Amino acid sequence: MPVPDTLLNYLDGDWETPAAELPDVISDANSGQCIARQRSASAGQIDDAIAAAQRVHGNGGWRELAAAARANSLLAIADNLFELADNIAEADAVTTGVPITQTRELARIPAAAFRRAAALTAEPTCINRHLNFEVGRLPLGPAVVIAPWNAPAGIASHKIASALAAGCPVLFKPSEWSPLSGQLIARAIDRADLPAGAFQLLHGAGETGSALTRDHRVAAVSFTGGLAAGRAVAAACARQMRPAQLELGGNNPLVMLPDANPDAVVAAIRTLLTTLNGQWCRALGRIIVPNSMLDQLLAMAAAALDTLRIGASMRDDTQLGPLAHRLHRDQVLAAVARYESLGGVAHRCGEPPALDGWFMQPTLVSGLGGDQALDEIFGPVATIHGYAGIEQAVALANAPPYGLAAYVFGKGKRALEVARRLEAGVVKVNLATLLGPHPDAPRPVWKLSGIGDEGARQTFEFFRGSRVIAVDGALHDYETG
Ligand code: NDP
């Protein structure tokens, strides 16, 4: 199946055109060429979709299917996604600018997420039973899933699969900057013949997400995106007293200890700034190195970034692609210019290709105080700071208001001790990998990076709520009475 070039909602088992045209376009990040106009579901389409989700939840069409039947549906979706993996990789490479070598790896996540979720359908809904009471874990109801543009297929499929495994109907809104792989996920689900309304896709930008999260019929919202939209979602959920799982941004530190191998640190900097082109919530934000090594490390890192092959995302030999869309590229360039206006020195590395897409040079910025660079940039940009002692290194690492990821490079006990002092959900020691240590490891978020851990089990449980039934006497007497 080719990458879609026409946006379609998937509503109550049917495909239909999102009613409204939006002002922006989905572009090929390499050339800036328009692939399709962004479109948005109308208020009526959103209303119909929520009503369909509510209907299927109310009549038990999905949640009351036998666990084995739901598992089989999720496994069928996984098989369909496996077949579509090349198309998903292509769609995400073109729209996000992430090199195809990386999106091919990421395109394995959707099938794997549905397989893991299928296994979770076997989890009992009655988790604890006593003489006179039982504790159940039940699907909350219609679940809204909102995904960002940077790793669209992987992030969305983890949330969708978890909600479906828990028994919740899903209303999925992809980002309109990169909705094509989301539509492929919907194709894969459509072919698995779930009950109409169990999964729906609605296109649209922030207003569509906002309309979904405001609606009182929605029972849970799982959102990944930036802080501003996350706050809007949190406020909408607060009004409805509804659970929200929010995975937001980060300004993630790498702490180099005096005994760290400089080559390993430089390799990590290169990896962390080129993975997803630095458009990654756990990408590098600030590099913290001993004062005595600052100049050497900066020169080594700049030299390593200088040799990167910056090019079109569809080329197998590209190591750094363009940013996802023009607005975002301009925001990242503006952030670098702001650092310069504050006295920072920008070291722009590598040679962008002569293409019209949203390219930029990876950039290291030196000369700023730790409190002058607290925001998330979300591109191939990091600030570099020197420290005089471990206390200062830890303070610099913990200074940003975010708490998503952190990296420590150094030897033995001291590296672990420093890692244990960092305020972040995931701290990696002598590692700079995109994925976590294990598929079952949670992905916690601290501070402004969000609310609620993600993870195979954590996201599944997010979509379930507890219910206690207590009886006068013994449960057994009621069951047999
Ligand atoms: P945004 O916050 O702009 O958008 C995220 C999603 O929310 C998009 O689908 C967007 O629609 C939608 N949206 C926008 N405004 C609202 C609103 N008021 N109510 C409901 N939905 C809304 O983030 P980006 O897409 O720009 O993604 C980048 C951000 O995502 C970065 O800040 C990054 O840190 C974060 N991120 C976090 C991850 C994590 O696991 N913690 C992983 C990946 C990214 P549309 O785009 O169509 O306008």
Side-chain angles (χ1 to χ4, degrees):
M1 174 182 296
V3 172
D5 59 6
T6 308
L7 294 187
L8 293 172
N9 289 330
Y10 182 63
L11 296 184
D12 207 4
D14 285 322
W15 295 94
E16 55 179 70
T17 303
E21 219 173 59
L22 294 171
D24 281 309
V25 299
I26 304 161
S27 64
D28 178 337
N30 303 295
S31 63
Q33 294 288 311
C34 168
I35 298 172
R37 260 229 105 71
Q38 295 185 0
R39 297 195 70 89
S40 169
S42 64
Q45 287 172 321
I46 295 169
D47 189 55
D48 289 349
I50 299 173
Q54 202 184 26
R55 184 199 69 230
V56 78
H57 190 66
N59 68 22
W62 179 245
R63 73 186 153 97
E64 286 179 8
L65 273 185
R70 276 194 287 124
N72 284 339
S73 293
L74 297 184
L75 290 173
I77 296 169
D79 290 345
N80 298 340
L81 286 166
F82 184 77
E83 278 176 28
L84 290 173
D86 286 348
N87 307 94
I88 289 172
E90 191 182 327
D92 284 352
V94 170
T95 54
T96 68
V98 173
I100 187 83
T101 47
Q102 293 182 34
T103 61
R104 278 194 203 113
E105 293 297 315
L106 293 167
R108 297 165 184 233
I109 292 177
F114 274 84
R115 290 215 173 92
R116 266 199 304 280
L120 287 167
T121 57
E123 290 289 307
T125 49
C126 179
I127 59 164
N128 208 334
R129 210 181 130 85
H130 299 258
L131 177 69
N132 62 339
F133 75 95
E134 64 178 26
V135 183
R137 291 287 292 165
L138 306 162
L140 289 172
V144 165
V145 164
I146 299 179
W149 49 256
N150 66 328
I155 292 173
S157 53
H158 163 69
K159 293 176 192 285
I160 296 166
S162 303
L164 288 173
C168 295
V170 173
L171 297 140
F172 165 46
K173 194 206 83 67
S175 166
E176 279 320 283
W177 299 107
S178 61
L180 305 183
S181 60
Q183 197 156 301
L184 290 166
I185 292 172
R187 286 267 173 229
I189 299 176
D190 178 40
R191 289 180 188 166
D193 284 333
L194 270 59
F199 168 84
Q200 300 177 86
L201 161 72
L202 289 143
H203 286 287
E207 185 40 45
T208 302
S210 173
L212 285 167
T213 54
R214 282 196 311 263
D215 196 285
H216 69 278
R217 294 167 291 180
V218 165
V221 178
S222 180
F223 171 92
T224 295
L227 180 58
R231 281 186 161 136
V233 171
C237 288
R239 287 186 73 80
Q240 302 294 343
M241 296 298 168
R242 167 205 300 143
Q245 185 188 41
L246 304 169
E247 303 286 318
L248 310 177
N251 180 351
N252 310 298
L254 181 156
V255 179
M256 176 190 189
L257 297 177
D259 60 4
N261 174 352
D263 291 325
V265 173
V266 168
I269 292 170
R270 189 173 146 128
T271 299
L272 292 169
L273 288 181
T274 54
T275 300
L276 305 188
N277 300 333
Q279 304 170 132
W280 174 36
C281 53
R282 292 180 171 78
L284 188 55
R286 45 176 49 202
I287 306 162
I288 299 163
V289 302
N291 280 331
S292 60
M293 301 178 81
L294 182 61
D295 291 343
Q296 181 202 347
L297 210 277
L298 177 58
M300 286 172 68
L305 295 174
D306 250 334
T307 63
L308 283 172
R309 276 191 302 279
I310 308 176
S313 60
M314 295 307 293
R315 290 180 60 121
D316 274 328
D317 60 353
T318 288
Q319 294 172 314
L320 184 77
L323 299 198
H325 57 86
R326 183 165 57 86
L327 194 66
H328 180 59
R329 196 266 315 260
D330 292 350
Q331 283 168 351
V332 175
L333 292 177
V336 175
R338 194 175 65 246
Y339 283 161
E340 289 181 301
S341 74
L342 293 172
V345 180
H347 308 263
R348 296 178 176 82
C349 307
E351 196 58 46
L355 294 170
D356 289 335
W358 320 126
F359 292 92
M360 72 168 282
Q361 293 169 285
T363 305
L364 299 173
V365 182
S366 60
L368 290 177
D371 56 354
Q372 289 179 302
L374 295 174
D375 294 335
E376 177 189 53
I377 302 295
F378 216 59
V381 178
T383 54
I384 183 161
H385 311 269
Y387 69 83
I390 293 298
E391 290 307 315
Q392 193 187 3
V394 170
L396 280 165
N398 287 337
Y402 298 98
L404 204 51
Y407 305 88
V408 177
F409 280 74
K411 295 200 175 86
K413 198 170 162 197
R414 183 159 58 167
L416 201 55
E417 279 169 2
V418 170
R420 286 178 174 152
R421 294 181 63 189
L422 299 189
E423 296 165 356
V426 176
V427 183
K428 293 183 179 169
V429 179
N430 296 319
L431 289 171
T433 48
L434 170 69
L435 299 179
H438 188 276
D440 288 338
R443 297 188 291 279
V445 287
W446 286 27
K447 295 158 63 179
L448 287 185
S449 292
I451 302 175
D453 297 359
E454 278 210 348
R457 175 161 297 277
Q458 289 75 9
T459 306
F460 169 76
E461 289 297 355
F462 167 75
F463 290 109
R464 305 205 302 175
S466 297
R467 184 190 59 200
V468 174
I469 294 184
V471 298
D472 181 22
L475 277 173
H476 176 76
D477 295 338
Y478 287 79
E479 282 163 344
T480 53

